[in-house]
Amino acid sequence: MMCEPYRIEGRGLPERVTVYEVGPRDGLQNEAAVVPVEVKAEFVARLAAAGHRVIETTSFVHPRWVPQLADASELLDRVERVPGVRYPVLVPNERGLDRALEHGVEEIAIFASATETFANRNLNRTLESQFAMFEPVVARALGNGLRVRAYVSMCFGDPWEGPTPLAQVVSVGRGLLDLGCYELSLGDTIGVGTPGHVAALIGAFGGPERLAVHFHDTYGQALSNTLTALREGVTVVDASTGGIGGCPYAESATGNLATEDLVWMLHGLGVETGLDLPSLVETSTWLAERLGRPSPSRVVQALGTAPDVKE
Amino acid sequence: MMCEPYRIEGRGLPERVTVYEVGPRDGLQNEAAVVPVEVKAEFVARLAAAGHRVIETTSFVHPRWVPQLADASELLDRVERVPGVRYPVLVPNERGLDRALEHGVEEIAIFASATETFANRNLNRTLESQFAMFEPVVARALGNGLRVRAYVSMCFGDPWEGPTPLAQVVSVGRGLLDLGCYELSLGDTIGVGTPGHVAALIGAFGGPERLAVHFHDTYGQALSNTLTALREGVTVVDASTGGIGGCPYAESATGNLATEDLVWMLHGLGVETGLDLPSLVETSTWLAERLGRPSPSRVVQALGTAPDVKE
């Protein structure tokens, strides 16, 4: 049972929010189970049928680093693209861009770091030299008519350096926008941020323009942080259907903000998403059986039928 | 790693929040496992040691209805009361009040319904006639120098009638305040509410004065709803250490807002609570082993050592 919508009066909540679905990429990339390609293709098709208009489908990262997404080419060949739906693909470098172009991808995402240590560990670059790596990727993508989105990871803190200075996040983000990216997805990769920090970061950028938010629910803060971002004017929110993407070694640990929990809040606030919640819950229940673990989404737990999971 | 606090600028966040801890009563009442009385006494002692200044300890409901709390008398005899800490007890009727008085209880809570059907099912009263039941309990409690808190349950919706009209909640709440209760705890017993609904309900009361909030995380909304209540001026929040109190038959289902997840947000917002988060996490990890299931709190999952739970 869902109540009729109530807006928060006199505040800046948008009429409509775009949910940028990251389950097939950021979710499945961080699950222990390697999912068969036909299951992935069905997952993407179900997400489009549930109303998603942007589905980050896979990544052209080297299979050595992310074996879960080694089937990126085959998956793109299998996905039947629905008109009006965007299927962006994460691209780490020029070789990845070549493969994206070969598969007729129309939008890519690049993955930058807001901290020195993570730039070094994840990209083998310094905070500054990561731009030299992204520049030719973005330039060639734009030259081929693609749109480019930029993730900024570790925007709130990282496990080595502690809290990330706001000015440092803004500097990295502005650099990426200057390269020609159409949007920044500000990521709380380790989930430590809280609402005042979110508002401060958006303020440090001078406002919500061209900003999306990407929260992980490691400390239970993802939805509160999202609400705060919406009240600061953000209209694009990353989420993963079923909340998949937790650390594969901790059964109950959680990953991305669950799309269903976000949609429950948005619809309750009278914010349009174009998404059909029962279809999403059904999809997450179906996927949980294939992943062999229950969905961490509270809404899926409440509304879904218990998956046939053996542990 | 926790970031330095950031407040939300220019808004009505309080400097300090009182966390009204309901774990020993509302939490354990809804767990499948019946916890030995010495474990409960240690749980209460640990909560006080972690900084809690109000701990709802048990209920004098008839053991036929809540066998989990049949040891209320023995527990109260065992709890060593720390000066400055309040230990309220839920009291359903005059017989319960007699027992509370026998045990030197200084504060009680009564449990009312905002909907007709739940008043009928839970109290065997109509929405209107529940006041006749509470009136002598509150009058005698006040006459004996006790403080009385009132829960209003099903404030957002119930499973039978759907959404609860705001005016109906206000009418029930005002009636309880008129009896002499010092505070109303507005409960979303089935967890369906969303932030705009929370703001609207507080507005319908004319503001946050004498209001506390009590959210269940069934649909993942508890913390966002709490944040909204805080921004509307509420300064008392009910929560359960470890987030215990889920439906005992669904392993992963969740109950009350977890104190740890709330405290992570509050401390991140620079709001004082007087609570020590590591002590709370340690207590929840300890309790999870005794309950035989992992804590649903995200913070406990992230920071606690994995409990030795057999499934």
Side-chain angles (χ1 to χ4, degrees):
Chain A
M1 181 220 72
M2 205 170 178
C3 300
E4 69 269 40
Y6 287 92
R7 296 189 66 83
I8 299 181
E9 281 176 42
R11 299 277 161 55
L13 270 189
E15 294 293 322
R16 190 180 172 86
V17 159
T18 298
V19 179
Y20 184 103
E21 171 66 36
V22 299
R25 200 276 304 168
D26 196 17
L28 293 182
Q29 158 180 336
N30 290 298
E31 289 285 335
V34 177
V35 176
V37 67
E38 62 273 14
V39 172
K40 289 180 181 172
E42 183 173 345
F43 183 35
V44 172
R46 282 171 174 259
L47 293 171
H52 275 298
R53 287 300 164 259
V54 51
I55 304 164
E56 194 164 288
T57 305
T58 187
S59 165
F60 278 122
V61 68
H62 196 288
R64 192 186 307 143
W65 311 122
V66 186
Q68 288 92 338
L69 303 185
D71 56 7
S73 288
E74 196 184 343
L75 176 59
L76 286 175
D77 289 341
R78 280 178 183 253
V79 167
E80 211 162 308
R81 297 182 205 180
V82 176
V85 179
R86 292 148 54 202
Y87 300 88
V89 171
L90 190 73
V91 159
N93 50 32
E94 288 201 78
R95 175 72 193 107
L97 177 60
D98 291 337
R99 294 176 66 195
L101 292 170
E102 283 162 22
H103 286 87
V105 167
E106 294 173 349
E107 177 173 338
I108 63 167
I110 60 173
F111 190 85
S113 171
T115 74
E116 190 72 53
T117 311
F118 192 61
N120 199 259
R121 288 179 167 244
N122 195 55
L123 307 170
N124 201 25
R125 291 290 188 286
T126 66
L127 194 60
E128 198 46 47
S129 73
Q130 63 181 333
F131 294 101
M133 182 179 73
F134 294 131
E135 194 282 329
V137 176
V138 178
R140 277 187 53 212
L142 296 175
N144 281 277
L146 274 61
R147 279 155 60 93
V148 184
R149 184 183 212 235
Y151 287 101
V152 188
S153 58
M154 305 292 180
C155 286
F156 295 82
D158 82 5
W160 310 280
E161 301 178 22
T164 313
L166 299 179
Q168 188 171 311
V169 182
V170 172
S171 166
V172 170
R174 291 231 171 100
L176 294 162
L177 290 173
D178 288 346
L179 290 182
C181 298
Y182 77 90
E183 182 172 88
L184 301 175
S185 172
L186 302 177
D188 187 3
T189 316
I190 59 172
V192 295
T194 43
H197 199 161
V198 172
L201 182 58
I202 294 166
F205 272 100
E209 210 189 337
R210 297 211 275 174
L211 299 183
V213 289
H214 181 107
F215 292 115
H216 284 236
D217 205 32
T218 322
Y219 297 88
Q221 309 297 307
L223 196 57
S224 300
N225 288 344
T226 300
L227 174 63
T228 305
L230 296 174
R231 292 179 75 165
E232 299 294 327
V234 167
T235 61
V236 181
V237 179
D238 296 5
S240 142
T241 291
I244 57 174
C247 166
Y249 304 107
E251 188 202 333
S252 51
T254 57
N256 292 282
L257 171 62
T259 305
E260 291 90 344
D261 299 9
L262 170 64
V263 167
W264 185 279
M265 183 179 81
L266 291 173
H267 290 185
L269 284 163
V271 175
E272 282 177 42
T273 65
L275 291 164
D276 181 60
L277 187 58
S279 299
L280 293 173
V281 171
E282 196 188 327
T283 295
S284 289
T285 306
W286 165 86
L287 186 66
E289 285 175 19
R290 274 135 199 98
L291 291 174
R293 69 173 190 127
S295 162
S297 158
R298 305 294 201 208
V299 169
V300 174
Q301 289 168 15
L303 299 182
T305 51
D308 183 21
V309 171
K310 288 155 202 75
E311 316 228 28
Chain B
M1 183 220 73
M2 203 167 180
C3 299
E4 68 270 40
Y6 288 91
R7 296 187 66 81
I8 299 182
E9 281 176 42
R11 300 275 161 54
L13 271 188
E15 293 293 321
R16 190 180 171 87
V17 158
T18 298
V19 179
Y20 183 104
E21 171 65 36
V22 298
R25 199 276 303 166
D26 196 17
L28 293 182
Q29 157 179 336
N30 290 298
E31 289 285 334
V34 178
V35 176
V37 68
E38 62 272 15
V39 172
K40 288 179 182 173
E42 183 173 347
F43 183 34
V44 172
R46 281 171 175 259
L47 293 171
H52 275 297
R53 287 300 164 260
V54 52
I55 304 164
E56 194 164 288
T57 305
T58 186
S59 165
F60 278 123
V61 69
H62 196 287
R64 192 186 307 141
W65 309 123
V66 185
Q68 288 91 338
L69 304 185
D71 57 8
S73 289
E74 196 184 344
L75 176 60
L76 286 175
D77 289 341
R78 280 177 183 254
V79 167
E80 211 163 308
R81 297 183 206 182
V82 176
V85 178
R86 292 149 54 201
Y87 298 90
V89 171
L90 191 74
V91 159
N93 51 31
E94 289 203 78
R95 174 74 193 105
L97 177 61
D98 291 337
R99 296 176 65 196
L101 291 170
E102 284 162 22
H103 286 85
V105 167
E106 295 173 348
E107 176 172 338
I108 63 167
I110 59 173
F111 190 85
S113 171
T115 74
E116 191 71 54
T117 311
F118 192 59
N120 199 260
R121 288 178 166 244
N122 194 54
L123 307 170
N124 201 24
R125 290 291 187 289
T126 65
L127 194 60
E128 199 46 48
S129 73
Q130 65 181 332
F131 294 100
M133 182 178 76
F134 294 131
E135 194 281 331
V137 177
V138 178
R140 276 186 53 212
L142 295 176
N144 280 277
L146 275 60
R147 279 155 60 92
V148 185
R149 185 184 212 233
Y151 287 101
V152 188
S153 58
M154 305 293 179
C155 287
F156 294 81
D158 82 5
W160 311 280
E161 300 178 24
T164 313
L166 299 179
Q168 188 172 311
V169 182
V170 172
S171 166
V172 170
R174 291 230 172 100
L176 294 162
L177 290 173
D178 288 346
L179 291 182
C181 298
Y182 76 91
E183 180 172 273
L184 299 176
S185 172
L186 303 177
D188 187 4
T189 316
I190 58 171
V192 296
T194 44
H197 198 161
V198 173
L201 182 58
I202 294 167
F205 271 100
E209 212 188 336
R210 295 212 276 174
L211 299 183
V213 289
H214 182 109
F215 293 114
H216 285 235
D217 205 32
T218 322
Y219 296 88
Q221 309 297 308
L223 195 58
S224 300
N225 288 343
T226 299
L227 174 63
T228 305
L230 296 174
R231 291 180 76 165
E232 299 294 328
V234 168
T235 63
V236 181
V237 179
D238 297 4
S240 145
T241 291
I244 58 174
C247 166
Y249 304 107
E251 186 204 332
S252 51
T254 58
N256 291 281
L257 171 62
T259 305
E260 291 91 342
D261 298 10
L262 170 64
V263 168
W264 186 278
M265 184 180 79
L266 291 174
H267 290 186
L269 283 164
V271 175
E272 283 178 41
T273 64
L275 291 164
D276 181 60
L277 186 59
S279 299
L280 294 172
V281 171
E282 196 187 326
T283 295
S284 290
T285 305
W286 165 86
L287 187 66
E289 284 174 19
R290 275 135 198 94
L291 291 173
R293 69 173 189 125
S295 162
S297 158
R298 305 294 200 208
V299 170
V300 174
Q301 288 167 15
L303 298 182
T305 51
D308 182 20
V309 170
K310 286 156 203 74
E311 317 222 33

